[in-house]
Amino acid sequence: MPIPQFTLSQRFFFDAAHTLRREIESDASRRIHGHTYHAEVAVRGPLDPATGMVIDLGLLRERLRAVRVQLDHHLLDEVPGLGIPTLENLCLFISRALSDLRPQPSRVRVWRDALGDECLLELAAA
C-alpha cells in the first residue's frame, strides 16, 4: 500500500509598494504604487507517526511571520534578495526563505485580489 501524502498550507498577506519598468502601463508602473498581496505556502509529505503531523502548523506560521516582516509595509524595490518586484520573484523569495523547512514547500502562490493577478510556483520534491 502506498504511503499517504498530505498537503498542508498556510496563508498570509502583506501590503507593500513598488515600481516596475515595463513597456505596457509604463507611466503608472514606474511611479511608486502599492498593493495588498496574498501568499500561500504548501508543504507535502507523509504523516510522522510520532507527531501525527506532516509539519507543525505553528512552526509554519512562525516562519511565515518572519517572511511577512521582511515584506509588509516595505518598498519591495529595496528588499534584499528579492530582485525585480514581480509576482514571480515574490514566489521565489518566499520559497528560498523557507528552503530549510522539512518538508520543503511544494507550492508557493502569490496573488493580488484587487487586480485578479496570480502566480503559482510549483516546486519539485526534495
Side-chain angles (χ1 to χ4, degrees), residues 21-88:
R21 296 177 87 50
R22 55 193 256 198
E23 296 299 318
I24 193 165
E25 301 172 355
S26 60
D27 288 341
S29 294
R30 288 182 181 167
R31 287 191 302 271
I32 294 175
H33 61 283
H35 304 283
T36 296
Y37 294 87
H38 299 268
E40 179 180 47
V41 174
V43 298
R44 181 173 171 77
L47 187 71
D48 179 342
T51 65
M53 298 180 261
V54 172
I55 189 172
D56 187 322
L57 285 173
L59 171 65
L60 183 56
R61 276 191 293 276
E62 181 179 286
R63 293 296 302 277
L64 293 180
R65 270 192 296 273
V67 172
R68 183 177 187 270
V69 164
Q70 296 177 66
L71 301 170
D72 191 40
H73 286 82
H74 285 276
L75 179 61
L76 296 179
D77 303 57
E78 299 174 352
V79 172
L82 177 59
I84 299 168
T86 61
L87 293 175
E88 295 89 337

Side-chain angles (χ1 to χ4, degrees), residues 84-96:
I84 299 168
T86 61
L87 293 175
E88 295 89 337
N89 280 335
L90 283 164
C91 284
L92 285 171
F93 179 83
I94 294 166
S95 70
R96 288 177 184 143

